[in-house]
Structures are given as structure tokens and as C-alpha cells.
Amino acid sequence: NIEIGVKFLKFATDMNNIEASEKYASMLIKGDTIPANLEKAEKIVDSLMKRKCPNAKKMWAQLELTKSQPDYQKVKNCLKESASDGNIEAMVLYAKFCLMKKEQTQMEPNEEEANKYIKLAAESGNQEAKQMIDHLIKEREEENRRQKEEEEDRKRREEEEQRRRDEEYRRRREEERQRQEAEERRRR
């Protein structure tokens, strides 16, 4: 029963149980099991940050990203610190953050850093990271295929252009030869 579970989490959070506080705050952030309540989640996360709890930095970053004007540099730093501390969820989130477009974060994407943390998370058994790797591999294969097709198309166009120029050159030479022969016949 979700209702009983939530009551237990609230009670345990009020008793400063770290694990319950992390779970309850996470539920409040996501809003899928219970209605989202970012204010309440922020209070819990602030308390977890003060107590230097393992998931606090990752949760703070998640909360910050819900804001209309998030501090992307702080988000990046918190996610990286949490990921570097071995938090697998933070590794996945940090990798996703590193892949975000500059228009979204005002920072250059860092595919190398993203790959490093996706790989670490996947090696730790994280299914989402494994799926991300599969997706990135498919994207690279598709990009390579597209580039190969573009290169082949470019070469084909260049070859066609060269054939056209060669034909035009041969046609002009033949016209010149015929003109010269006609002139020779007229002179005789």
C-alpha cells in the first residue's frame, strides 16, 4: 500500500533517517508515485546536504534542474562530485548532462567525459547506462553510414563532373579538328 509506505517514509524522515529521507525526497522530486512537491523536497535535500549524505548532491542537482534558471555550473559540479564518489545514478545523470547541447546548458558538451561515466555505470550493472551505450553505438554507426554515403555521393558527383568536362573537351577538340579539316578543304 503506497499510502502506508509514504506515511512510514514521512515519519522516518522526521526522525532523521537518511535512507528514508533520500527515498521520500526522491519521490517528491519525481512526482510519479506521489504528487511532486519541490519545496518540501528542497528542505529535505538541504538537510541531507548538511549531513553530507551520499545522494544529497545528486538530488540537489535534480532539484536545481527543475528551476527555470538553473545554475548549470553548480549542477555539473555536484553531479561530477557525486559520480566520482561512486554514485551510479549520478554517473548516468552526469553523463547525460555532459551530452546536453550548449544551447541548453551554456556549456560545451563533453562526449569523452560522458562516455567515461556511462561506461563506469554500465560496468556497475546499471541498465540505463547499458541502454545509453547501445544508443550511442547505434548513433555512431548511423553517423558513420551517413558520412560514408555522403563521401560516396561526393565522389560520384566529382567523377560525373570530370566525365562531363572530358566529354566537353573531346567534343571541342573534335569540332576544332573538323573546322580545321573544312578549312583545309576550302583552301585546296
Side-chain angles (χ1 to χ4, degrees):
N1 185 327
I2 293 173
E3 196 174 308
I4 294 171
V6 171
K7 283 182 182 179
F8 172 76
L9 287 174
K10 283 181 185 179
F11 176 76
T13 297
D14 291 341
M15 300 306 291
N16 293 321
N17 179 289
I18 291 172
E19 191 175 330
S21 297
E22 289 176 345
K23 180 67 177 165
Y24 186 48
S26 180
M27 291 169 73
L28 291 168
I29 293 169
K30 291 178 184 173
D32 52 5
T33 309
I34 59 174
N37 186 331
L38 300 178
E39 275 185 41
K40 196 180 278 189
E42 193 167 351
K43 288 177 185 173
I44 296 168
V45 170
D46 285 345
S47 169
L48 292 169
M49 289 285 281
K50 288 175 186 162
R51 292 186 279 167
K52 301 193 185 312
C53 299
N55 286 313
K57 289 178 183 175
K58 172 195 62 103
M59 295 171 79
W60 180 90
Q62 288 174 305
L63 266 172
E64 184 68 15
L65 287 171
T66 65
K67 296 179 179 177
S68 60
Q69 297 288 319
D71 183 336
Y72 289 110
Q73 189 60 52
K74 280 187 178 178
V75 168
K76 178 183 177 184
N77 293 342
C78 278
L79 288 175
K80 185 171 184 173
E81 286 175 27
S82 190
S84 296
D85 289 343
N87 185 311
I88 295 169
E89 270 187 75
M91 290 177 192
V92 174
L93 290 172
Y94 180 60
K96 287 180 180 180
F97 184 85
C98 288
L99 293 172
M100 290 173 76
K101 292 180 171 52
K102 185 175 182 176
E103 297 80 43
Q104 295 172 287
T105 64
Q106 292 79 49
M107 288 185 252
E108 291 295 330
N110 187 338
E111 194 172 318
E112 187 177 321
E113 185 86 345
N115 289 337
K116 173 184 170 183
Y117 282 93
I118 290 171
K119 185 178 176 190
L120 286 170
E123 288 170 353
S124 297
N126 183 282
Q127 291 303 311
E128 185 177 3
K130 290 177 182 179
Q131 290 171 351
M132 286 175 71
I133 288 173
D134 290 344
H135 178 74
L136 289 172
I137 288 170
K138 287 177 186 171
E139 276 185 349
R140 282 193 193 113
E141 288 172 349
E142 180 62 26
E143 178 65 17
N144 290 341
R145 184 195 58 74
R146 188 186 59 72
Q147 286 177 348
K148 184 179 176 185
E149 285 177 359
E150 286 175 359
E151 180 64 19
E152 289 170 352
D153 195 40
R154 185 189 60 76
K155 284 180 181 177
R156 183 185 49 74
R157 285 192 311 272
E158 286 175 355
E159 289 170 356
E160 286 174 4
E161 180 62 23
Q162 187 61 47
R163 274 194 296 275
R164 188 192 62 71
R165 278 189 245 132
D166 291 348
E167 281 180 27
E168 181 66 19
Y169 176 77
R170 282 192 293 275
R171 184 187 62 75
R172 286 184 179 166
R173 285 197 48 139
E174 181 61 24
E175 285 175 357
E176 180 64 23
R177 187 188 62 75
Q178 289 174 358
R179 188 185 60 72
Q180 287 175 353
E181 284 177 1
E183 225 174 271
E184 282 289 319
R185 282 192 297 267
R186 264 186 273 150
R187 280 190 221 152
R188 288 186 221 163

